[in-house]
Structure formats: structure tokens, C-alpha cells
Amino acid sequence: MSRINKNVILALLTLTSSAFLLFQLYYYKHCLSPKNGTGSSKSKGNRIGFDSTQWRAVQKFVMLTSSQNVPVFLIDPWILDLINKNLEQVKNTSQSSASDCRFFCVPRDFTAFALQYHLWKNEDGWFQIAENMGFQCLKTESKDPRLDGIDSLSGTEIPLHYVCKLATHAIHLVFFHERSGNYLWHGHLRLQGHVDRKFVPFRKLQFGRYPGAFDRPELQQVTVDGLDVLIPKDPGHFLEEVLHSRFIECRYKEARAFLQYLEDNTVDAVAFRRRAKELLQLAAKTLQELGVPFWLSSGTCLGWYRQCSIIPYSKDVDLGIFIQDYKPDIILAFQNAGLPLKHKFGKVEDSLELSFQGKDDVKLDIFFFYEETDHMWNGGTQAKTGKKFKYLFPKFTLCWTEFVDMKVHVPCETVDYIEANYGKTWTIPVKTWDWKSSPPNVQPNGVWPISEWDEVIQLY
């Protein structure tokens, strides 16, 4: 009897186990299958209404970086744009609530994240764990461009872009490096000859086509599709930066070769460069507070491009501003900053030029640029005669660069811009310069009527 009971019990256990297994298979097929669009997140036990290759790749990447205390943040423009449009809803989403996959599940080849490189402490261990999790990773490194002018350090390499693929989706990790102007920079993604071009569709990458510069973003944590991720606190501002992030490096090697024979280190030259730097920094701060974009122009732009420095005999700092960015309170703002108006020439609608007096006779000149169908121009006025002059430039766009420890704009088409102003011999220093006749791009532009002189020519 005892033996029969044991057999019965064993049979019942086997039957129960089989039934439970069949139930699990049925539940998986009908409740968790991709057909029904349901999956399970391992992030805080959330139940998420989807099953996506893209989401799983992002989930594993987030798990990997979180476990290694690597503070990556989302910079993918497509996803950030969606988040920005639904920011309040995303910020108010509970970490334990269920939601549909709205951001990470749209079929795409890449999802882009960024990392400030100085915060990465265990690079080798991170990659080993990534490979154990199924990622295939490609590392791209390059020489640090800031060290090009230093022989002993010019070969130092820094990480720029890593691409980690899981199944058919890839995570693009962009390394942001700190620069001396308190901003972040990323490099150009250049593939070495041995790299498999079919590893991922590199042409679809949204970062790395050229170097980029960004303000240091303040970050916030949000829950997106059940995953806790860091994003810029102001996604809209970051997205605007992405559109205009292109960066041009100063030509350190060429500058060093130029200065090897022509550098002026006299007491007066060193003092002028220091004063001009202080004036430029003050002008930049004032214009940034006004929300007025500007760029290095004329001799200041030439000094940056030719010798990565301020030309000591130029005696002034030159900036350019598009006339549509002019604001009526710009003069008052500079005066409040301790820079009195030296002169004002022209009108807003024609040939406006402002000049402010800095310390020790260092002058700040602001030239306003006007756009025509096929060119741009800024004006000049001779105070004694009222004669007007026009300086023609080919159309240009603006890029970021670093100059005197600042992130500032310069024309992206720098050579065309400089050659328009100084001709093809711009590499040769010229200490005698007549603004009315020396520039190759200057032409007469009429004369101001005497009746308008009080309005267009103001001297202080």
C-alpha cells in the first residue's frame, strides 16, 4: 500500500510539473510574444508594453553603464526631440508605472549617448563586461589636437567615439572632452583602413562627421520607456546646439612655425595681448548676456587663424555681428560694463559700426554685416568727409573655435573670409594698413548727406 501511494504521488507530481510547464509555454506564446507587443523590463520590475530590438540594446547598455557607475547621458537628437515635446509628461512618469514604448522602440540603426571622458574610471573592465553581455564594440581614437604644437606630446591619443552593436542595433558613445574655455568638445570620427565599413551604417551617425563644441549641460534623470536615463535639463537648448556645433581647431603647427621667426615677446606686445584678451572676454560676456551672437572678424580673426594669438600691433579687438541680431540696448550694455562708446557710424539700415574704448587705449570695434543675394558686406565711414565704404565678403557660416581660453565663433569658410579682407598674402605681416584703401574687398559706397551727419556720425 505504501509503495502504491509513492507511485501515485510521483505520478501526480510529474503531471503537475508538466501542466505548469505547458502553462508557462502558453503564457509566453500568448501574453509575452512580440506578436502581442509585450515584454518585461528588468529596470525596477516594470512591465513594459513592447518587445523591441532597439529597446533591449539600450536597456543592456543602461544596465552596463549603471553597474559600472559610468554617467552617460542621452544625446540622440531624434529621441531628445520627442522627449522635449513631451517633457512634462516624461518628468512626471513614475518609475514604477507601466507605459508603451514610445521613444526607444522606433526601428533605427543607432542610439547616441555621451560621456565626459574624465568621469570614466574603468575603461578596460567596462569593455570586457560589454563583450560578455553580447556587445561587439569598435573603438576610435585619435591624437589630441590641442597638443599638436608640442613636440613631446603631439602623439598622445584620446578616445573619441565608440560604437557598440547588439544584434541589429548599435549604441554610439560620443566622448566629450573638457576644454580650457569651460566647454565640452568631441572629435571627428575617422575610420582607420582596417575597419570593416559594414560593421554598422556609419554614414547614418548623427555625431562625428566633424568636431563639435557644446556648453557644459546640466543633467536630469528621467524614466523613458521604463529605463532610467540622464538627459540635458534643457533638451531644447541642447538640440539647438547640435545644429550649430561644428568646431574648427586652431592651426597649432602652422602657428608655431609662424611664431618661430616672427613672435613678438617685447614687454609692450605681451601687455597688449593681455589687455586685448581681457577686453575680448568682457565683450563676449556682455554680448552673451544680451543673447547676441558674434564672431572674430578682421585682424582678430587673422590673428587666430595665422598664429593662434592676438596680433600685438593691431591695437584693437574686432568682432562681427549680423545686423538682424542688433539690439537697441547694446550700447547701454557695453557702457554699463565699463566700455564707453568711442564712436558710432552709420545707421542700423546701412553701414552701422560701433567702437568702444577699453583700458589703456585698446579699442573694441564691432562691424555689422548685411546680407545680399550673393555676398555679405560691412560698412565703414570717414568722419571728416562722410564718405561711405563697403567691404565685400563671400557668404559664410559660423563655426566654433577656441581662442584665448574662450569658445568663440569664427567664419567656417575662414580662408575665403581672410583672403577677402587681406588678399592671398595674408601670411605676411603688414604693420602699415589704411582701412580705406588697403583691403582688397573695399569699394566706395557713396557719401552721407550733410543733413544726416549728426545721426550717422557720433563722436565721444
Side-chain angles (χ1 to χ4, degrees), residues 289-448:
E289 290 174 351
L290 286 172
V292 175
F294 68 93
W295 66 91
L296 305 182
S297 190
S298 302
T300 306
C301 183
L302 175 63
W304 162 75
Y305 193 71
R306 187 176 66 188
Q307 55 212 66
C308 296
S309 182
I310 294 170
I311 298 175
Y313 52 83
S314 61
K315 303 305 178 186
D316 57 17
V317 171
D318 303 309
L319 303 181
I321 296 176
F322 292 121
I323 192 61
Q324 60 266 28
D325 294 320
Y326 170 81
K327 292 186 177 180
D329 54 351
I330 191 171
I331 294 177
L332 180 60
F334 274 104
Q335 289 176 333
N336 290 340
L339 299 175
L341 182 68
K342 184 178 177 66
H343 66 239
K344 172 180 175 289
F345 292 153
K347 302 180 180 180
V348 173
E349 60 270 22
D350 182 9
S351 305
L352 183 64
E353 174 189 346
L354 300 177
S355 182
F356 298 91
Q357 185 61 59
K359 295 180 180 179
D360 301 317
D361 293 330
V362 183
K363 187 162 57 81
L364 171 68
D365 289 331
I366 299 181
F367 304 102
F368 290 87
F369 279 65
Y370 300 77
E371 184 173 359
E372 302 289 349
T373 303
D374 58 352
H375 67 278
M376 294 182 180
W377 64 276
N378 73 278
T381 299
Q382 187 177 30
K384 293 180 180 180
T385 63
K387 289 183 179 180
K388 297 194 293 181
F389 298 86
K390 180 182 286 189
Y391 302 85
L392 306 183
F393 293 84
K395 287 196 171 185
F396 58 89
T397 54
L398 298 180
C399 288
W400 291 112
T401 192
E402 184 174 313
F403 185 61
V404 295
D405 299 326
M406 294 172 56
K407 179 171 76 97
V408 293
H409 274 130
V410 292
C412 299
E413 300 78 11
T414 315
V415 174
D416 293 340
Y417 188 88
I418 289 177
E419 286 187 355
N421 223 173
Y422 297 100
K424 294 186 179 298
T425 59
W426 55 267
T427 57
I428 301 173
V430 176
K431 295 188 178 182
T432 303
W433 188 260
D434 185 342
W435 62 271
K436 301 180 297 299
S437 59
S438 297
N441 62 338
V442 65
Q443 65 179 40
N445 193 32
V447 180
W448 289 106

Side-chain angles (χ1 to χ4, degrees), residues 32-285:
L32 295 180
S33 67
K35 179 179 179 180
N36 288 280
T38 305
S40 172
S41 168
K42 295 180 181 179
S43 176
K44 301 186 182 297
N46 293 340
R47 184 74 66 186
I48 309 300
F50 57 86
D51 186 351
S52 164
T53 300
Q54 289 77 21
W55 180 86
R56 286 196 298 270
V58 174
Q59 180 209 31
K60 280 198 170 186
F61 180 76
V62 170
M63 290 172 58
L64 169 62
T65 54
S66 296
S67 67
Q68 299 296 302
N69 295 318
V70 180
V72 300
F73 57 98
L74 185 70
I75 60 169
D76 194 286
W78 193 89
I79 298 176
L80 276 183
D81 184 51
L82 284 180
I83 291 175
N84 191 48
K85 292 175 180 176
N86 302 273
L87 188 57
E88 290 306 314
Q89 181 181 350
V90 170
K91 289 166 65 175
N92 293 330
T93 299
S94 171
Q95 292 184 348
S96 60
S97 65
S99 63
D100 294 328
C101 186
R102 302 173 52 197
F103 303 96
F104 290 129
C105 290
V106 178
R108 300 171 67 241
D109 296 296
F110 297 94
T111 300
F113 286 83
L115 172 65
Q116 296 185 47
Y117 181 63
H118 72 281
L119 299 177
W120 200 354
K121 306 301 182 184
N122 184 25
E123 180 179 348
D124 294 334
W126 187 91
F127 276 104
Q128 183 61 53
I129 297 173
E131 292 177 357
N132 292 340
M133 294 179 70
F135 283 103
Q136 294 176 275
C137 292
L138 170 70
K139 310 176 185 181
T140 64
E141 300 176 328
S142 185
K143 293 188 297 183
D144 189 336
R146 296 166 293 181
L147 305 178
D148 273 351
I150 306 174
D151 281 337
S152 60
L153 298 175
S154 60
T156 303
E157 291 199 340
I158 55 175
L160 298 180
H161 298 266
Y162 291 172
V163 178
C164 293
K165 183 172 68 172
L166 183 70
T168 59
H169 193 70
I171 303 297
H172 180 197
L173 183 58
V174 183
F175 286 94
F176 281 8
H177 295 266
E178 293 184 308
R179 299 287 294 239
S180 58
N182 194 32
Y183 66 96
L184 302 178
W185 167 92
H186 72 75
H188 183 194
L189 196 162
R190 288 189 176 93
L191 298 177
Q192 301 298 323
H194 65 277
V195 173
D196 180 9
R197 264 58 176 179
K198 296 181 180 180
F199 178 65
V200 291
F202 290 102
R203 292 185 179 181
K204 294 184 180 180
L205 287 173
Q206 295 173 296
F207 293 89
R209 295 174 187 170
Y210 42 74
F214 293 83
D215 294 337
R216 190 185 301 274
E218 187 178 353
L219 303 177
Q220 62 178 330
Q221 182 173 290
V222 294
T223 302
V224 181
D225 295 339
L227 303 175
D228 293 337
V229 295
L230 290 172
I231 65 170
K233 194 168 185 178
D234 186 349
H237 175 71
F238 184 85
L239 289 168
E240 185 65 25
E241 284 191 287
V242 171
L243 296 176
H244 309 287
S245 62
R246 187 174 178 181
F247 183 92
I248 300 176
E249 199 72 59
C250 179
R251 306 183 316 144
Y252 297 105
K253 287 184 177 180
E254 291 81 355
R256 186 180 60 172
F258 177 88
L259 295 173
Q260 183 175 357
Y261 302 102
L262 298 170
E263 186 171 16
D264 186 350
N265 284 322
T266 61
V267 173
D268 289 343
V270 172
F272 173 78
R273 283 195 290 263
R274 176 182 53 78
R275 294 194 299 268
K277 175 181 177 179
E278 293 172 353
L279 178 59
L280 177 56
Q281 290 174 336
L282 179 58
K285 179 182 178 182

